[in-house]
Amino acid sequence: MLKAIISGPAARIIALSLALTAAGAAQAKNPMVGGAPMYAQKTIVENAVNSKDHTTLVAAVKAAGLVDTLNGPGPFTVFAPTNAAFAKLPPGTVENLVQPQNKATLTKILTYHVVPGVYTAKELMALAKKPEGQNQLTTVEGEPLGVSARGKKVYLTDVKGDTVAVTIPNVMQSNGVIHVVNGVLMP
């Protein structure tokens, strides 16, 4: 369903933008993310552009052409890496990915951070309790993300086996939810 609405590099960038916006909105009525309030009546992109912790993600979404998709009706669940998460990548990775010739790769990475539908932290926790193989979400990119929990914290594992934590859950948006994460997921 989502692939029919969003395709190509734009879909992947939109997915990343959605993740950023959703992460801040869930903490409070207008939770603060990156020093800015996240308003539930705004879209993922409309909120994400104001977060000083998500400037890299926003730039990547723009470079991938995903802004219109992530401003669309959704609904989307976005796992939004912070600037610090992108900084953990090998030096030069982000600069290389935002080059026009790497748009397809960037889109693939960004859409791997977006899931069709709305998954709150409570729903992610319930999914994490399911048996191995049933505790997964299928991303807009098409690859699965494993969902697990330790205590009250939700973790996501990419197909390469790397795990990131949800640091700010349930940032509600008009077109979905954002969960801020502390790493970049790789398809």
Side-chain angles (χ1 to χ4, degrees), residues 32 57 60 63-64 82 108 135 137 140 148 156 164 167 179 181 187:
M32 299 294 284
L57 177 60
T82 61
K108 182 177 177 90
N135 60 340
L137 295 168
V140 170
S148 61
L156 304 166
V164 304
T167 58
H179 300 285
V181 295

Side-chain angles (χ1 to χ4, degrees), residues 9-10 12-13 62-66 97-108:
R12 291 183 183 110
I13 290 182
K62 288 178 181 178
L66 295 174
L97 285 171
V98 297
Q99 296 301 312
Q101 66 270 23
N102 297 320
K103 187 175 180 180
T105 301
L106 178 61
T107 300
K108 182 177 177 90

Side-chain angles (χ1 to χ4, degrees), residues 64-130:
L66 295 174
V67 170
D68 289 343
T69 302
L70 292 176
N71 264 331
F76 306 104
T77 297
V78 176
F79 299 104
T82 61
N83 294 343
F86 279 103
K88 292 179 187 177
L89 295 173
T93 300
V94 174
E95 294 78 5
N96 187 43
L97 285 171
V98 297
Q99 296 301 312
Q101 66 270 23
N102 297 320
K103 187 175 180 180
T105 301
L106 178 61
T107 300
K108 182 177 177 90
I109 293 168
L110 293 177
T111 56
Y112 191 56
H113 290 78
V114 180
V115 175
V118 174
Y119 290 88
T120 64
K122 181 178 179 181
E123 292 163 322
L124 293 173
M125 190 63 77
L127 186 61
K129 294 178 182 178
K130 291 189 175 189

